Amino acid sequence: MPSEARQRLSDFEQAWVPRLNAPLAAAVKEDTTDARLADAMTYSLLAGGKRLRPLLTVATLTTVGGTFDEVRDWRPVMALELLHTYSLIHDDLPAMDNDPLRRGEPTNHMKFGAGMATLAGDGLLTLAFQWLTATELPATVQTALVSGLAHAAGPNGMVAGQARDIQSEHVDLPMAQLRTLHREKTGALLHYAVQAGLILGQVPQTQWSPYLRFADAFGLAFQIYDDILDVVATPAELGKATQKDAGEAKNTYPGKLGLTGANQALITTIADGQDALADLPADQDATLLAAFFSYFKTDRVQ
């Protein structure tokens, strides 16, 4: 079954990643008047990301029986990738994590300087919201997407999580506070990725609960796995420095639970997400969303 899930996800990625990527560079340059700024924005945007978040949106839309219209839906779906990329650029800056590598390549500020990198992030952030409304989608759908992404990315979500992360270095957080930090810093955008698929599919909010429970379990699993990889993976595998969390005295699942305990937390969290998918309507095929859990290899610590 795991190999079937991995194949299902691989087939989905092969079908959709080129389709999502193809218009990206031209679309960003079309909406950016300064050539150097456009280069800095597209440098990080095209640096080999998995497109996990827009893929989750498309997978959710597919699961609920919606259809993806290239003209109407591409920009709103890819807006999340713009925002995610902005967060990575800013996270790598000298004032934040001061990372020299991202996906095996120099980070944006190493190539363009800290000032231009900051502006590239600013440009991607604001362009994301422009793209949510550069569409023929109904105004109610546009409003719901803007509100959802603003909540997920702002001081109620990702930015709050980043603030907690900075403040908690060298502080031993209780597990409940660590879960809150991760839910905001990492989980909020993944939560929105699924939420956006529900909005685009015009699913009534009364039916959202199992999908969002899946999203939150996936977001937590993603962070736990990232923590584990920081310990067990090589820089070549991750395309960035490893062992940084311990060196910076950050709160992590391996740091609190050990590698074996963190791996068990990952397994339990995946099971929680699968339980949520079991509550989807009987006429919906949950196997595509379930296949996203094949991202996580629970044997990395053995």
Side-chain angles (χ1 to χ4, degrees):
M1 184 65 69
S3 61
E4 291 178 11
R6 284 194 291 272
Q7 188 61 53
R8 179 76 190 274
L9 183 60
S10 177
D11 291 345
F12 182 71
E13 290 172 327
Q14 288 178 31
W16 278 96
V17 171
R19 190 172 172 183
L20 295 172
N21 279 341
L24 200 47
V28 170
K29 289 180 179 179
E30 179 183 331
D31 286 326
T32 309
T33 59
D34 183 86
R36 183 68 170 170
L37 177 61
D39 287 344
M41 291 165 67
T42 55
Y43 173 76
S44 293
L45 196 56
L46 302 177
K50 297 185 292 290
R51 306 303 182 225
L52 174 60
R53 289 152 190 82
L55 285 173
L56 265 174
T57 299
V58 173
T60 303
L61 179 62
T62 301
T63 299
V64 302
T67 57
F68 181 91
D69 182 287
E70 208 82 39
V71 175
R72 180 195 64 200
D73 297 331
W74 181 80
R75 275 185 170 81
V77 166
M78 290 305 288
L80 177 54
E81 192 68 12
L82 301 188
L83 194 140
H84 171 59
T85 303
Y86 124 75
S87 74
L88 299 181
I89 294 172
H90 281 198
D91 197 41
D92 290 336
L93 285 169
M96 299 286 282
D97 287 351
N98 196 24
D99 277 319
L101 288 177
R102 168 74 65 177
R103 297 166 181 159
E105 298 293 335
T107 47
N108 201 290
H109 69 272
M110 296 295 290
K111 186 170 180 67
F112 293 92
M116 186 59 75
T118 302
L119 292 173
D122 293 344
L124 290 166
L125 167 62
T126 49
L127 186 58
F129 287 96
Q130 178 181 323
W131 279 14
L132 288 178
T133 58
T135 171
E136 295 301 318
L137 285 166
T140 54
V141 173
Q142 294 182 36
T143 300
L145 290 171
V146 169
S147 176
L149 185 55
H151 190 276
N156 290 294
M158 181 185 68
V159 172
Q162 291 281 21
R164 292 181 198 273
D165 194 35
I166 289 173
Q167 295 173 84
S168 65
E169 290 182 11
H170 304 285
V171 176
D172 185 17
L173 288 181
M175 186 59 75
Q177 291 184 32
L178 181 59
R179 282 195 293 268
T180 297
L181 187 159
H182 286 165
R183 184 175 65 249
E184 294 172 340
K185 179 184 175 183
T186 302
L189 291 191
L190 292 165
H191 179 103
Y192 170 79
V194 172
Q195 181 184 350
L198 298 172
I199 294 169
L200 290 169
Q202 301 195 44
V203 176
Q205 286 194 37
T206 55
Q207 299 174 23
W208 284 11
S209 177
Y211 304 96
L212 296 182
R213 281 166 38 220
F214 154 74
D216 292 339
F218 184 84
L220 179 56
F222 189 89
Q223 183 60 60
I224 296 171
Y225 192 58
D226 191 64
D227 286 354
I228 291 171
L229 290 180
D230 186 68
V231 178
V232 304
T234 66
E237 284 181 281
L238 296 188
K240 61 181 180 179
T242 57
Q243 307 285 338
K244 287 198 67 180
D245 291 339
E248 296 170 357
K250 289 193 174 184
N251 289 270
T252 67
Y253 274 77
K256 288 191 168 297
L257 304 176
L259 278 173
T260 300
N263 198 56
Q264 185 55 55
L266 175 61
I267 292 168
T268 300
T269 303
I270 291 171
D272 290 343
Q274 291 169 333
D275 287 345
L277 291 176
D279 291 336
L280 263 57
D283 63 344
Q284 291 185 7
D285 182 358
T287 57
L288 177 56
L289 289 176
F292 277 78
F293 285 119
S294 68
Y295 272 115
F296 312 123
K297 298 176 182 178
T298 56
D299 58 356
R300 289 301 302 257
V301 303
Q302 297 171 3

